[in-house]
Amino acid sequence: MNNDPRMQAAIVGIAGPVLDPAELDLFRHLPPAGVILFARNIQDPGQLQALTATLRAALPPGALIAVDQEGGRVARLRPPHWMPHPAAGRIGALHGMAPEAGCRAAWLTGALIGAECAAMGIDLVCAPVLDLRIPGAHDVVGDRSYGGDPRIVALLGRAAADGLLAAGVQPVAKH
């Protein structure tokens, strides 16, 4: 196995719910820094735990297993096997009515998402979204944003990131 850290610069995706022999061979020859999981890779808790265990065995030490798990419409771990989590826009709206409750909801959402991911062998979560909601802009962000005020978005994003960290997973703020 090539453990040269210069060769471990990418986090890559895999094709399906199991690591296929060609992917395993590629990881042996060009080990990535990690793998990001998408909906195509996730079926149920047993399958996901088996997949992350297989990935851990195939990846170099210290490699990451990541997932895009914001809550709301961007969730790879979905019901009925995992809890639905609110979109950032709902948390931002709560903050607008009750700031302390909004901050607590952001932290708890991060902690719950983190706990579910950690239990599945995932150690990096692509969240929170720090985009601003801007009237008239494309709806690709929409309710994925905590709101339009950069101070509030930063405050709630930090609370969600702290919740993820408390659960033992690394947040990656995006976009």
Side-chain angles (χ1 to χ4, degrees):
M1 180 184 298
N2 184 347
N3 286 321
D4 182 344
R6 293 172 296 165
M7 298 301 290
Q8 298 172 3
I11 293 181
V12 300
I14 60 173
V18 297
L19 188 63
D20 73 34
E23 292 166 331
L24 181 58
D25 188 54
L26 178 64
F27 290 177
R28 283 191 183 119
H29 291 92
L30 293 169
V35 170
I36 184 166
L37 302 175
F38 295 100
R40 68 180 179 260
N41 308 122
I42 299 169
Q43 296 173 335
D44 59 60
Q47 170 274 329
L48 183 53
Q49 287 174 321
L51 175 59
T52 58
T54 300
L55 287 168
R56 289 269 175 243
L59 293 168
L64 300 169
I65 299 176
V67 71
D68 210 3
Q69 188 73 7
E70 300 170 13
R73 61 188 154 111
V74 178
R76 309 304 179 220
L77 283 67
R78 301 181 81 74
H81 302 293
W82 295 279
M83 296 181 351
H85 299 286
R90 290 186 61 202
I91 296 169
L94 175 60
H95 182 274
M97 295 181 293
E100 189 173 313
C103 288
R104 184 72 177 148
W107 188 92
L108 287 169
T109 298
L112 290 169
I113 288 171
E116 287 180 328
C117 290
M120 295 296 108
I122 296 166
D123 45 25
L124 187 145
V125 173
C126 298
V129 170
L130 298 182
D131 291 329
L132 299 178
R133 188 172 326 128
I134 299 172
H138 191 281
D139 196 40
V140 69
V141 172
D143 69 349
R144 295 169 66 195
S145 171
Y146 291 109
D149 182 333
R151 291 169 295 168
I152 302 303
V153 169
L155 177 73
L156 296 175
R158 175 62 187 259
D162 286 344
L164 288 161
L165 288 166
V169 299
Q170 179 66 48
V172 175
K174 57 186 200 176
H175 293 129

